[in-house]
Amino acid sequence: MGINKRIVAGCLSACLICASIFAPRQAAAGISTQPSDAGLSVMAKKKQAVEYTIETDKLEYKDSKGRVRGIVSFSYPQFSGTSAFITKINQQIKKKSQNVLESEDAENIRDSTEYAIRENRFLSSEDQYYWTTECSETYNKDGIVSFAMTENWYAGGVHNRYDYGLNYDMRKEKKLTVQDVVAGKARKEILKAAKKYCGRDQTGYTAVKMTKKYNFYLSDGKVYICFGSYELGHGTSIDIFSVKGSY
């Protein structure tokens, strides 16, 4: 997210939780493993074209009373199967989660939480600082699978949000591009939809036009193009509009 802050560092308790619907793996020192409710809901569904589980890696920062006041978490799919392609993308997504938890932004949440505890900056006894990424399936048919990834950030100031997608064709063993999923010429259709969405907002439309790589996810017959806080010049608001999809 590129948020860089320097706040006096201190010492907080932190625990890393790797949640999976599978039987818990052997945990490293200081790391506990427990089931994920999100993963359990996937197992309860009928058999789908692409099978997967949802895992959640989490850091929690607590105050002296044991209350969780800061959270960094990342939820993500792990696909069933042993092919080289599935193994590769599972490892890539898992690595993304690890990078998040080890990032400077995660350290900023830790430091901001400690500062808020020490200086009594929380708005209430239930207030929490967080950087979370949630994962939800939006399309899963005939080997085509798409997940909306929703990232939220709050550390006592404004709330920022950023959306993107994970999109795969398991039959062809490839990560989908926007050109693969938009009906017609992708850039032309996206700019046409953006013109309608932005209306008289020339600044927002120009930002869409200047974008070289679009974040997106799928649903039935639609492709959702995603822009996060500030990207179209609309402050902390997010901007998501749709174009006709090929699936």
Side-chain angles (χ1 to χ4, degrees):
M1 292 177 60
I3 302 175
N4 293 306
K5 301 185 284 187
R6 298 293 299 177
I7 301 177
V8 178
C11 180
L12 280 176
S13 60
C15 61
L16 172 62
I17 305 171
C18 297
S20 170
I21 70 164
F22 289 120
R25 298 184 292 268
Q26 183 175 357
I31 300 177
S32 61
T33 306
Q34 59 186 8
S36 165
D37 291 339
L40 290 171
S41 66
V42 173
M43 289 293 286
K45 294 179 181 180
K46 294 181 180 179
K47 186 176 181 180
Q48 302 179 68
V50 176
E51 296 183 355
Y52 62 90
T53 61
I54 297 294
E55 295 191 4
T56 299
D57 296 340
K58 181 187 295 185
L59 288 166
E60 294 181 340
Y61 304 106
K62 300 179 181 180
D63 61 18
S64 59
K65 295 182 179 180
R67 295 175 299 187
V68 176
R69 307 311 299 266
I71 300 172
V72 178
S73 68
F74 191 91
S75 296
Y76 55 96
Q78 291 288 274
F79 299 103
S80 301
T82 57
S83 71
F85 176 71
I86 288 177
T87 299
K88 179 181 178 180
I89 59 176
N90 280 344
Q91 291 174 344
Q92 289 174 340
I93 299 170
K94 178 68 175 178
K95 181 63 176 176
K96 167 68 174 176
S97 178
Q98 293 173 342
N99 288 342
V100 164
L101 268 61
E102 296 171 0
S103 69
E104 183 177 351
D105 285 337
E107 292 178 355
N108 286 339
I109 290 293
R110 179 199 64 197
D111 294 345
S112 297
T113 301
E114 178 187 286
Y115 178 79
I117 292 172
R118 185 173 62 250
E119 301 297 329
N120 196 27
R121 291 297 187 93
F122 286 111
L123 300 178
S124 71
S125 61
E126 304 299 322
D127 194 20
Q128 293 179 329
Y129 291 171
Y130 54 83
W131 179 25
T132 61
T133 301
E134 299 177 354
C135 172
S136 60
E137 177 197 298
T138 58
Y139 189 91
N140 192 350
K141 294 180 181 179
D142 301 322
I144 306 295
V145 63
S146 179
F147 298 89
M149 305 293 288
T150 303
E151 182 178 323
N152 288 282
W153 168 281
Y154 172 73
V158 296
H159 165 240
N160 295 325
R161 176 172 160 177
Y162 181 70
D163 291 72
Y164 61 98
L166 298 177
N167 311 283
Y168 301 99
D169 184 337
M170 294 301 191
R171 299 167 304 179
K172 296 181 180 180
E173 297 191 333
K174 63 176 289 186
K175 184 176 182 179
L176 293 169
T177 68
V178 71
Q179 185 61 61
D180 294 324
V181 298
V182 171
K185 294 184 178 180
R187 183 166 175 80
K188 178 181 177 181
E189 295 302 319
I190 290 171
L191 292 181
K192 182 168 69 175
K195 190 72 173 178
K196 182 177 180 180
Y197 175 80
C198 294
R200 296 182 179 180
D201 177 16
Q202 190 61 36
T203 299
Y205 177 73
T206 299
V208 177
K209 194 173 182 180
M210 294 289 289
T211 301
K212 295 181 178 180
K213 184 177 180 180
Y214 295 103
N215 291 312
F216 69 94
Y217 59 86
L218 316 178
S219 70
D220 285 323
K222 292 184 178 181
V223 178
Y224 289 90
I225 309 299
C226 308
F227 292 89
S229 298
Y230 306 104
E231 289 187 326
L232 296 191
H234 299 154
T236 60
S237 300
I238 63 167
D239 294 279
I240 299 176
F241 58 86
S242 67
V243 298
K244 185 177 180 181
S246 302
Y247 298 100

